[in-house]
Amino acid sequence: MGIEEQLGEIVIAPRVLEKIIAIATAKVDGVHSFSNKSVSDTLSKLSLGRGVYLKESEEELTADIYLYLEYGVKVPKVAMAIQKAVKDAVLNMADIELSAINIHVAGIAPDKTPKPALTDLFDEDFLND
């Protein structure tokens, strides 16, 4: 019996992919915090409220990440590091290849603004929907 033998279907919820993307993004040096793309997302209970959005079209999966960067960082360098970290994390953990990872810098956090703790960003319980 080979490892490649498939015993059934594997389905990964989009919320799980969003969490993988958000955690990989938050771990990149220079990332301060996430931003929602609209005010309605901030008010919505359905939104993760973490600035990560997945879009599927024609069997391609695209990620849009909205965030604030720390003051003094090189924006293109941090954005490329995020793209690489996210691509690697999603491929390694879910065996899914993203067709595009779009970074939307909503702003720069003022110097000396405390960075949110990683545990504060991701305290959501997946079982309580």
Side-chain angles (χ1 to χ4, degrees):
M1 217 195 282
I3 294 174
E4 297 298 318
E5 183 178 333
Q6 190 166 351
L7 302 175
E9 185 178 23
I10 299 171
V11 177
I12 300 172
R15 293 176 63 117
V16 172
L17 294 177
E18 289 172 353
K19 287 289 185 179
I20 292 169
I21 292 168
I23 292 169
T25 299
K27 288 183 175 182
V28 173
D29 287 337
V31 173
H32 183 272
S33 57
F34 292 92
S35 170
N36 289 317
K37 70 178 176 180
S38 70
V39 175
S40 63
D41 286 348
T42 304
L43 301 174
S44 171
K45 291 272 187 199
L46 298 175
S47 170
L48 275 177
R50 301 291 179 240
V52 177
Y53 302 86
L54 290 176
K55 195 174 4 176
E56 187 176 7
S57 62
E58 299 176 21
E59 298 192 28
E60 288 189 342
L61 191 60
T62 302
D64 285 284
I65 304 168
Y66 293 78
L67 45 75
Y68 288 92
L69 297 181
E70 294 175 353
Y71 177 78
V73 300
K74 294 181 179 178
V75 175
K77 183 178 177 181
V78 174
M80 287 189 286
I82 293 167
Q83 289 173 323
K84 181 177 180 354
V86 167
K87 180 181 179 180
D88 291 347
V90 172
L91 189 60
N92 290 337
M93 292 179 163
D95 200 24
I96 294 173
E97 193 160 339
L98 296 170
S99 60
I101 303 162
N102 302 312
I103 308 299
H104 304 270
V105 179
I108 303 292
D111 204 13
K112 298 183 181 170
T113 303
K115 185 175 179 176
L118 196 58
T119 54
D120 293 339
L121 292 174
F122 309 109
D123 59 353
E124 181 175 328
D125 184 1
F126 284 89
L127 302 176
N128 296 329
D129 282 341

